[in-house]
Amino acid sequence: HGMSVAVNLALVVGAIAALLGIMAAVKALGRFGIGSEAQRKLIHVATGLFAIALPFIFHQQWPIAVLLGLALVVMALLRSPARSLAGLGATLHGVKRESHGEIYLVLAVGFLAFRIEQGLVFYVLPLLVLTLADAAAALVGVSYGRRKLKVEEGAKSVEGVVAFFT
C-alpha cells in the first residue's frame, strides 16, 4: 500500500508538471499570433480533457482530491499580484474579465469525482459538455457571431449560444 501512495503522489506531481507545461506551451503560441482568448480556450480544453482522464489515471479518490487542492492553490498564486511565474498567470487572465471559471471547474470536478460510484458516465458527460461546448461556442461565436445577446458581462452571440447548446 505504501508503494501505491508513492506512485499516486508521483502521478500527482507529474500531472501538475504536465499542466504547467501545457500552459507554458500555449503561452509560447502567443508568439505565433494566437490571441489571448484562443490561448485561454486551448487551456480550457486541455484542462477539461485532463480532468476527464483523472479516474482512468487514479483508481482512488484521495489523489484526485490532493491534485484538485493543489490546483486551487496554484490558481490562487496565478491570480495573486506576484503572479510572475513565467507569465503563466497572464495566459489564463490575459483577457480582461472577472471570471472565476477555472475555480468553478475544479470544484465541479471535485464534486463529480466524489460521486463517481454512480457511474463513470455521470463524471465524463458533464465534463465533456463543460469542456467542448464552451470551446465550440467560442469558436462559432467569434467566427460567425452576428446576432448579439446582452448578458451581464457584455454580449454573447446567438450563434455561439446555439453551438454551446448543440
Side-chain angles (χ1 to χ4, degrees):
H1 182 67
M3 184 60 181
S4 72
V5 169
V7 168
N8 278 318
L9 287 175
L11 284 171
V12 166
V13 169
I16 290 173
L19 280 176
L20 289 173
I22 289 168
M23 289 175 73
V26 169
K27 181 73 178 156
L29 289 175
R31 287 186 229 131
F32 299 102
I34 294 183
S36 59
E37 182 66 21
Q39 290 177 37
R40 209 174 64 76
K41 290 301 173 196
L42 280 170
I43 289 175
H44 178 89
V45 170
T47 54
L49 294 175
F50 175 78
I52 289 167
L54 290 178
F56 302 98
I57 297 169
F58 301 105
H59 301 293
Q60 295 171 289
Q61 291 172 329
W62 72 264
I64 295 174
V66 167
L67 183 61
L68 296 176
L70 288 172
L72 288 172
V73 168
V74 168
M75 283 185 246
L77 289 173
L78 291 176
R79 281 186 171 272
S80 74
R83 66 178 183 216
S84 62
L85 290 168
L88 290 178
T91 304
L92 276 178
H93 307 295
V95 176
K96 290 282 177 245
R97 63 163 60 173
E98 272 303 309
S99 170
H100 296 87
E102 72 274 15
I103 292 168
Y104 299 144
L105 177 64
V106 170
L107 295 176
V109 170
F111 173 78
L112 293 170
F114 284 91
R115 301 178 56 86
I116 213 158
E117 306 82 35
Q118 296 176 343
L120 213 46
V121 70
F122 295 109
Y123 178 85
V124 173
L125 279 182
L127 290 178
L128 272 175
V129 169
L130 273 175
T131 301
L132 301 180
D134 185 61
L139 288 171
V140 170
V142 168
S143 301
Y144 304 103
R146 303 287 177 262
R147 296 170 204 80
K148 299 295 180 192
L149 293 169
K150 289 233 179 264
V151 293
E152 290 173 10
E153 303 168 352
K156 300 277 183 196
S157 72
V158 171
E159 295 83 356
V161 170
V162 169
F164 185 99
F165 182 77
T166 303

